[in-house]
Amino acid sequence: MSTIVIGLTTGCSSTHRASHSARTATEQLLISEAIIRSLPREPNGPLPISKDSKIILDISGLTPDQSLLQQVLTGWLGQQGYLVQKEEKNATHRISVIVGALGTELAGTFFGMPPVQSVLIPFSLPELSLYKAQHQVGYVKFHMNIFEIPEGRLVGSTPTFLADTYYSDYTVLFLLSFTSTDLIAPPQTGSFHRNPLNALDIRMEEAKFWTGKENSETPPMK
């Protein structure tokens, strides 16, 4: 009887290998969407300089992901009407971005039997999860200091830009799994995931996010 029970328990398991890459697609979305959500949607941004000012952007932080933040900010500043320059000699202002934090945090809860490896039996027992939850958060916090060129006089500082995103993965009774997230079109895995969004659905979801309206018009293809 004990042999049958062990055989059944070794057969009832669910495994998930996140990725072979440095960052999973979910982690990349957590960071990139947190950056986008930290930026104001209003056309009049919080910078204390006039529109059409010629600016150069530099960024300081402790994360390799700050290059992504710099590129997103470059596009956002251009949309706000500022003229982003490649060389300081062509600029009237320098915007120094100070990154307080940019990355992901992971926490989890587990109730069940962890994986077991024993010298007494010729095989190992997999993890058996009565309840398992993994919560991952993307987080960004930064501010900008604006200086005149070439004098170097501080014009002003922006308020703190702050945003987060989340992705939670749950397993109940060994095999039943589901997720909860505020990401737009996250990757889906497993046999119970919903049908993936097509390109049109994704564009409508993104338009809804930026406008805050349920019935946003579909943005044109670029």
Side-chain angles (χ1 to χ4, degrees), residues 21-221:
S21 60
R23 284 193 184 275
T24 67
T26 300
E27 288 176 320
Q28 295 173 50
L29 285 174
L30 286 169
I31 293 173
S32 61
E33 290 196 22
I35 293 174
I36 293 172
R37 294 173 192 223
S38 71
L39 302 173
R41 303 178 188 177
E42 295 77 11
N44 296 322
L47 273 63
I49 54 177
S50 62
K51 298 295 178 67
D52 73 23
S53 295
K54 296 180 179 179
I55 62 172
I56 187 168
L57 193 66
D58 65 59
I59 187 165
S60 299
L62 301 176
T63 168
D65 298 311
Q66 63 195 38
S67 59
L68 172 62
L69 174 59
Q70 181 170 358
Q71 293 303 315
V72 174
L73 282 176
T74 299
W76 178 77
L77 289 167
Q79 291 175 346
Q80 295 293 306
Y82 300 101
L83 306 176
V84 183
Q85 308 296 309
K86 291 185 177 180
E87 298 182 3
E88 184 170 307
K89 65 181 181 179
N90 299 325
T92 58
H93 296 84
R94 183 177 77 255
I95 298 180
S96 296
V97 183
I98 311 301
V99 184
L102 177 60
T104 60
E105 294 284 340
L106 180 65
T109 302
F110 176 79
F111 180 72
M113 187 181 75
V116 175
Q117 291 184 338
S118 174
V119 295
L120 300 179
I121 55 177
F123 52 84
S124 61
L125 296 177
E127 176 186 282
L128 297 177
S129 305
L130 294 177
Y131 175 80
K132 181 179 180 180
Q134 290 185 315
H135 308 287
Q136 197 165 15
V137 175
Y139 182 84
V140 61
K141 179 182 180 182
F142 66 94
H143 72 277
M144 306 182 199
N145 296 324
I146 298 95
F147 300 88
E148 287 184 346
I149 295 177
E151 294 84 358
R153 183 177 67 89
L154 177 66
V155 177
S157 300
T158 67
T160 298
F161 294 79
L162 178 68
D164 60 9
T165 52
Y166 74 91
Y167 185 92
S168 298
D169 184 89
Y170 303 90
T171 301
V172 180
L173 298 177
F174 311 141
L175 293 175
L176 180 61
S177 62
F178 57 94
T179 60
S180 175
T181 182
D182 62 352
L183 296 175
I184 298 174
Q188 302 290 326
T189 59
S191 58
F192 297 103
H193 71 260
R194 61 178 173 80
N195 293 329
L197 295 173
N198 58 37
L200 177 60
D201 291 331
I202 293 173
R203 288 165 53 219
M204 293 182 67
E205 287 291 323
E206 291 176 341
K208 185 194 304 181
F209 168 75
W210 282 112
T211 62
K213 299 178 181 179
E214 289 293 328
N215 297 321
S216 301
E217 295 184 1
T218 304
M221 293 291 289

